Each structure stands twice: as C-alpha cells, then as structure tokens.
Amino acid sequence: MRSQLTARRLRSTSLSTGTPPPSSPDYSSTLADIATPILYRSPLPSQADLPVYVLNAAAFPDASRVKYDALLPYVLARLPNDEDLIGGKGYELIFFAGEEDRSASIPKKARPGWAWILRAYNALSRLIRKRLQKLYLVHQRSWVKVTVEMFSTVVSPKVRKKIVHVSSLSSLALHIPIEDLLIPPSVYLCDRRVARDIYVPYVTGRRAFGVNRSLPTSATGTLRLPRVLRESTSFVLMGENMKTEGLFRINARAALVSILREAYDRGQKFIVWKEEDSVLTFSHWQEGHGSVMVEEHQHAEGFSLVTATGLIKLWYAELQEPIFSQASYPFLRGIVESSPESFQISTIIDLMGEASDWSPLSRVSRQILTMHLLPFLYMIAAYQEWNKMTPYNLAVCFAPALIRGLDVLEDTNIINTISRILEYTVTHWDCRLASTLGTDMGKFNESLRAPEAIEDCEDPLDTTVPPARSLHLQTDGIMLIDRETSDDEERPPLPPRTNNNHEIEEDRPPLPPRINIDQFSGEDSSTSCMMRRKPAPVLQSPPRYSSIVTQSPANAEGLPGYTAAVNGRLCSSSNIESFLDDSLHNISGSAISRKPVANTSDHN
C-alpha cells in the first residue's frame, strides 16, 4: 500500500508546491491575500516554546470561484520551511474545522474533493510532516473525522498519536492557554453553536465589565481608562470611521458583543479591529519575547466598527453603579424645570465637577464623564456633517445606558431629562466646561495611547464580590432576604415551643360511642339481621360450549360412563347436550328448539 501511494505521489504533477516570488509576473497577490486568513502564525509560541500555526476552515473560499490547485502553493508557503525545521524542535498546528456562520439566504460554500486533500498532503515535504508535534482538532465535523481517520490509518499511522480532539474552545483551554492565541471572529461564532460561553481556568473572571473599580489605577498612581474603552474608542476615532453615517444608531450583533465582552474579561491578548481599510491592533509585552505584534494584520479577520460602538454602550450599561442613580432623579428634574429653555454653565459644573460637594452623582461617575464620555461624544459630534450624529442624537443613544433604576417606568420618564443635560454639555464642552472641569482634549487623546508601563497593558482581575443592592429601595416585586448569619453574630432567641398535640386534642370534636355487636346476639331476628347481613350470592355465568369440549379428554366421546363437571355438578356425557340447551334458553329468555341428538352410546 505504501509503495503504491509513493508511486502515485511521484506521478502527481497537477499541483505545484513552489510559490513564485513576489517580483515574478506569475505571482498573484489576490491568492496571497486569500491564503493569509486561512493559515497564519499565532503571535506567541506554545508553552513548549514551539511556533503555533492556526488553520481556519471558515476562511476557505468557495471552490466554484477560486481554483484550489492554484491556491494551494500560497497556503503551504505559510508553513515553516525546511531550513527552519532542521535546527528547530518542530511546530504545533490548531485546526478550527467549523463552518462559517452564515444566514439561511446565503448558499453554502463548495468544498474541494477528497482527491485534492490527498494531493495536498502529498505536496507537504517529509520534514514538515515529521516535525509536527501536536495537531489540535477543534469543532471537527464528519468530513474532518473521515479525513483524519484515512490519514492516520492508511497514509501515516503515527499521526494518530499527535492528534488531540477537542469539541470547543473551553476544552481547548484545558490543553493550551487560548488567551495567547489570535482567534478570528468566525471561530468564536462557531463555538457559540457548541457552548454558550468560554471558560478558561485561572483566567475567567471580571476585568472590564461590572468590576468594583471602573477606572483602574496606573503604575504612577493616577486613574486611567480600562483597556476595553481605550482600544474600542481608539478604533472609533480612527481615520474615516468617525464619518460613518448613523454611528451609534446601528445596533451591533449581540453575539459578537458578548464574545468581545468575554474576551476582555478573560484578558485575550490579541484582538483585531477592522472596518474596510481601517485596521487597528495593539501590541502585547511578553516576558522573554518583548513587545509582540500581530503580523499581517491588514489581511486578518477582525471585529467591525458597529461592534466597537455596541461594546462601548455595553460597558456603560454594566457599570456596577450607574452614572445617574435613582436617587439623583429628583435633582435632575429640578435642574430642567428651573431652566426649561437653557442651562447655566455653573449648574452643569456643580453637577459634574469632581470638586463639587452637593452633586447627587458619585465621584466615580463624575470622573468617567469628564475623562471619557463627554470628550468622546464631543469629537463624534464634530463630524455630524458626515455621520449625522448631532449632540441630541448622541444623547438619545447614550441616555438609556447611563441609568439602571429599580422602577422601569421612572427610568423611562427620566430619559428625556438626561438627554437634555447631555445635549447641552456636549454642545458647550469645548467652550468653557472642559477647562473648568479640569480637563481638555489633549488629556483625552493622551489617555487613549498605549500605556508605557507593562502592568497597565492589562486590567487587573477583580476578585471582590459585587455588593448586593439595598433592599429598602425596592418598591415592587418579590424581595428575597438572606437570613443566614455568621457564627460571630448573636442569634435571636427562639420562641417558646408549644404543645401541638394538646392543641390538636382540644380542637378535635369528640368521637361517637362505640357500638358493641355482641349485645345484639340475644335480641330479635330483625335487629340481628340489620346488624349482620348475609353476603350476596356470587353471580356465575354459564360456561361456553367450546370450553367444555376442549377441557374433555380425547377419548371421552367413546366412553358410555364418562362424567364431566359442569357448573359444579357431575353430568354424564348423555346429558351434556340437554344441559347446554337449557342454559342457552335461560340466557336468551326464549325457548330454543333443537333437534334431539341421539345418545352417544347408541350412536357408537
């Protein structure tokens, strides 16, 4: 078998394993761009210090539009060459075999045939096949299982020892740290069909959303923006993205926003943002490797601009304490009612100033407003000629994310009030408000830059338990009060125990006197019969003719003295027929005439 495969491999000349150089006229930049998201190298090596390559099946093009024979050399050229493997230890490969997430209206992509897969394997050099240390199969499907079984059984039985089968990203995290990988959005969406979330041991937690400290402290002791706000805001303000019409109006896909929420809370090191020609990614410092950057990020698969805007609104909506708490609603209504046409700048300064003593907003809320939200919305509104997002439109889009009270109806009524305050603040931000509140646009742009300190590149994992909401503010619904107390607290004394049996005996009515049956033994017969009735006779149905015949012995017909038991009586064979005629006559209630049958003994 091996000799036949080797001969077939040598005869196969339909695939060209060599890629022409970029300066050659035969070089196709289109095929090279298509091959980049199919097979790429992860920025960080594995725990065994081996290079990790990722093969994404969802990035395969439609076979009816692209010639796979011409695409194969560009894909194989992205693997390590023989010169790198001669002195090295090998490499690891992660194969994400899931399909591309598509709607029902989009037709399914055509895949290459089995012959092409076998020729592609034969096109690999012997050193590339031998130096493969681990092959992780994630989201594998039926055709992947058949292919792996064919190669591990027929072509190369040694491959079976290198394969690790995993069903989801959570299972893959038990073998390798997935937070070090560059995972495209298509793989995340495919994993969503298998599991609702991704769990990574010792990493999964809360870093950005709903944490105890919304603004972490930098290495210098000052407050800084969290990583999720720094990266997503930088992408929104990048290039032509601010001119996108309907910015913050278009709702993002909920699955992608949830995926990014988990990624930032998990501490995923490499996230690519991409919208047409605008691509943004941030480097990560790794001990022993220095600052690591995503290579060829221009052709990598990334998250869109709409997803970034939805993620920013989600961060504000999931703050542990909302920007405008329910206790501040009366004060906000008073501001609007006192100045129905316009506000005074002094009133806004007293409301949002960090040094204000009587502001109903918490200090953290005022810091978030002045450090990020207000200057960010001001920069978006500066391009309202293109994006059609005026200060009023931005206030309407962000107001629901800044409140989270216990009464939904009251929250709905206060949205217009908060929208008016935000609209006025964004409009007059650069006039006098920014300088009076102790900030300016230069400080805002400085906060969006990548931090210089290594410990500021990632947000700390929040291990504190979020405090429970106060129960006295709840006005409707069901309140669940925890009655458990610690051992140190003094428990209240128990009430005196009552005798339940005594109470039951007092409430129970007296029983009637018991009747002695023996006292009626000497009385008259009528009383005795009334107390002791004769049981009713058991009704018996006459037996069927077939049952009598089948129960009789085979030679009973020829015995003159044979008797059978019928209905508790002994009957001779000569009287069986007459007995049956009488029984049928009694059941039907009418006389049944029948021709007499001669005696069995006479007949014989």
Side-chain angles (χ1 to χ4, degrees):
M1 178 63 71
R2 289 183 178 276
S3 60
Q4 296 177 0
L5 293 175
T6 304
R8 187 182 303 173
R9 183 188 309 168
L10 295 175
R11 291 193 303 268
S12 179
T13 58
S14 59
L15 293 178
S16 177
T17 58
T19 304
S23 58
S24 174
D26 297 334
Y27 182 82
S28 176
S29 58
T30 303
L31 294 178
D33 296 342
I34 295 175
T36 301
I38 295 177
L39 181 62
Y40 59 91
R41 180 174 177 176
S42 187
L44 290 177
S46 64
Q47 293 179 331
D49 201 14
L50 298 176
V52 179
Y53 289 85
V54 178
L55 179 61
N56 185 16
F60 277 101
D62 194 348
S64 60
R65 299 182 179 180
V66 178
K67 295 182 179 180
Y68 269 72
D69 292 348
L71 178 63
L72 180 64
Y74 294 90
V75 176
L76 298 182
R78 305 188 61 81
L79 288 172
N81 51 31
D82 295 346
E83 297 179 357
D84 298 335
L85 296 177
I86 289 176
K89 300 179 182 179
Y91 66 99
E92 296 182 2
L93 181 64
I94 302 175
F95 182 25
F96 294 113
E99 289 184 345
E100 182 184 12
D101 186 75
R102 58 183 180 85
S103 61
S105 60
I106 300 177
K108 188 177 181 180
K109 292 181 180 180
R111 298 296 182 185
W114 297 103
W116 183 88
I117 296 176
L118 185 60
R119 292 197 302 268
Y121 178 80
N122 294 332
L124 297 175
S125 64
R126 182 179 181 276
L127 195 58
I128 292 179
R129 296 196 300 267
K130 296 301 181 182
R131 289 300 177 90
L132 177 62
Q133 302 299 324
K134 284 291 182 180
L135 174 59
Y136 299 94
L137 297 179
V138 191
H139 307 146
Q140 56 181 341
R141 293 173 293 161
S142 58
W143 72 271
V144 179
K145 295 179 181 179
V146 173
T147 305
V148 171
E149 190 67 23
M150 178 183 64
F151 282 107
S152 60
T153 304
V154 180
V155 181
S156 179
K158 296 181 181 180
V159 178
R160 188 185 299 272
K161 300 179 181 179
K162 303 178 181 179
I163 297 176
V164 179
H165 299 271
V166 291
S167 60
S168 62
L169 292 177
S170 299
S171 302
L172 181 62
L174 301 177
H175 301 275
I176 58 176
I178 65 172
E179 64 273 11
D180 296 343
L181 300 176
L182 176 60
I183 303 177
S186 58
V187 175
Y188 283 120
L189 292 175
C190 182
D191 190 76
R192 271 294 189 270
R193 299 195 294 265
V194 180
R196 293 187 301 175
D197 51 8
I198 302 173
Y199 177 76
V200 180
Y202 308 106
V203 175
T204 299
R206 294 182 295 112
R207 296 177 182 268
F209 293 85
V211 294
N212 189 25
R213 301 191 63 179
S214 304
L215 298 176
T217 306
S218 63
T220 58
T222 59
L223 296 179
R224 62 175 179 87
L225 295 179
R227 179 193 169 196
V228 57
L229 282 187
R230 186 178 68 246
E231 295 184 0
S232 57
T233 304
S234 299
F235 180 64
V236 173
L237 300 178
M238 181 180 178
E240 299 293 325
N241 291 342
M242 287 189 295
K243 297 182 179 181
T244 304
E245 185 175 352
L247 199 63
F248 287 104
R249 276 187 174 180
I250 304 175
N251 293 328
R253 186 174 179 180
L256 292 175
V257 176
S258 178
I259 287 169
L260 279 175
R261 179 186 183 277
E262 286 186 357
Y264 278 104
D265 277 339
R266 184 173 59 249
Q268 197 74 26
K269 295 181 175 60
F270 303 101
I271 297 177
V272 179
W273 299 94
K274 186 175 183 180
E275 183 70 22
E276 296 181 355
D277 296 335
S278 301
V279 182
L280 179 64
T281 182
F282 292 86
S283 61
H284 179 79
W285 190 90
Q286 184 74 9
E287 186 176 358
H289 300 276
S291 181
V292 182
M293 192 72 177
V294 178
E295 299 179 357
E296 299 177 330
H297 59 273
Q298 294 291 339
H299 306 289
E301 186 179 352
F303 295 92
S304 63
L305 175 63
V306 179
T307 309
T309 57
L311 191 67
I312 294 174
K313 290 191 292 185
L314 180 64
W315 186 86
Y316 278 96
E318 292 196 358
L319 284 174
Q320 196 172 106
E321 183 180 357
I323 299 296
F324 298 98
S325 61
Q326 191 173 4
S328 64
Y329 293 174
F331 182 83
L332 298 178
R333 291 193 188 97
I335 295 177
V336 176
E337 292 175 358
S338 61
S339 304
E341 299 297 333
S342 179
F343 303 102
Q344 296 182 2
I345 295 181
S346 59
T347 305
I348 302 299
I349 293 175
D350 293 336
L351 175 65
M352 300 182 180
E354 187 176 354
S356 178
D357 296 332
W358 58 273
S359 175
L361 306 182
S362 64
R363 186 173 184 178
V364 177
S365 299
R366 288 174 282 170
Q367 291 172 347
I368 295 174
L369 287 173
T370 56
M371 288 182 60
H372 179 263
L373 183 60
L374 297 178
F376 175 56
L377 296 182
Y378 173 77
M379 293 189 67
I380 297 295
Y383 291 84
Q384 57 181 316
E385 183 180 355
W386 295 274
N387 56 32
K388 310 302 180 184
M389 297 302 295
T390 62
Y392 172 76
N393 295 335
L394 292 172
V396 170
C397 293
F398 266 90
L402 306 181
I403 57 176
R404 191 177 64 249
L406 298 176
D407 190 355
V408 180
L409 183 60
E410 190 176 1
D411 290 348
T412 306
N413 296 332
I414 202 64
I415 286 180
N416 294 331
T417 302
I418 297 177
S419 300
R420 289 194 56 189
I421 296 175
L422 285 179
E423 179 187 3
Y424 179 84
T425 307
V426 173
T427 304
H428 299 83
W429 176 253
D430 200 28
C431 298
R432 180 184 168 189
L433 283 175
S435 58
T436 308
L437 293 176
T439 183
D440 53 18
M441 300 307 299
K443 292 183 180 180
F444 173 69
N445 294 328
E446 183 68 23
S447 64
L448 297 179
R449 296 180 182 177
E452 299 179 357
I454 300 173
E455 54 269 21
D456 294 340
C457 295
E458 187 59 71
D459 300 330
L461 185 63
D462 189 6
T463 57
T464 59
V465 179
R469 293 187 178 181
S470 57
L471 298 176
H472 67 277
L473 295 178
Q474 185 169 352
T475 57
D476 55 357
I478 300 175
M479 291 190 302
L480 300 178
I481 302 177
D482 190 7
R483 295 297 186 184
E484 296 182 359
T485 56
S486 60
D487 298 336
D488 299 335
E489 297 181 2
E490 183 179 358
R491 298 178 181 271
L494 296 175
R497 181 173 297 179
T498 58
N499 190 358
N500 296 331
N501 296 332
H502 180 69
E503 294 178 357
I504 294 176
E505 291 178 359
E506 292 180 355
D507 298 338
R508 184 182 300 173
L511 295 175
R514 187 183 298 273
I515 300 176
N516 189 5
I517 300 179
D518 297 336
Q519 64 182 355
F520 297 100
S521 60
E523 296 181 2
D524 55 351
S525 59
S526 62
T527 308
S528 177
C529 293
M530 180 181 64
M531 299 301 300
R532 297 182 180 181
R533 295 181 179 179
K534 184 179 179 180
V538 180
L539 299 178
Q540 298 181 357
S541 60
R544 296 182 179 180
Y545 177 75
S546 59
S547 62
I548 299 175
V549 174
T550 54
Q551 291 178 1
S552 61
N555 58 351
E557 187 178 359
L559 297 177
Y562 173 75
T563 58
V566 179
N567 199 14
R569 295 180 299 172
L570 295 177
C571 301
S572 62
S573 60
S574 60
N575 298 330
I576 292 177
E577 294 293 336
S578 60
F579 174 78
L580 292 175
D581 291 339
D582 296 340
S583 300
L584 295 173
H585 175 72
N586 295 333
I587 293 174
S588 61
S590 61
I592 301 176
S593 61
R594 186 174 179 178
K595 185 179 179 179
V597 181
N599 194 359
T600 307
S601 59
D602 298 341
H603 178 72
N604 294 334

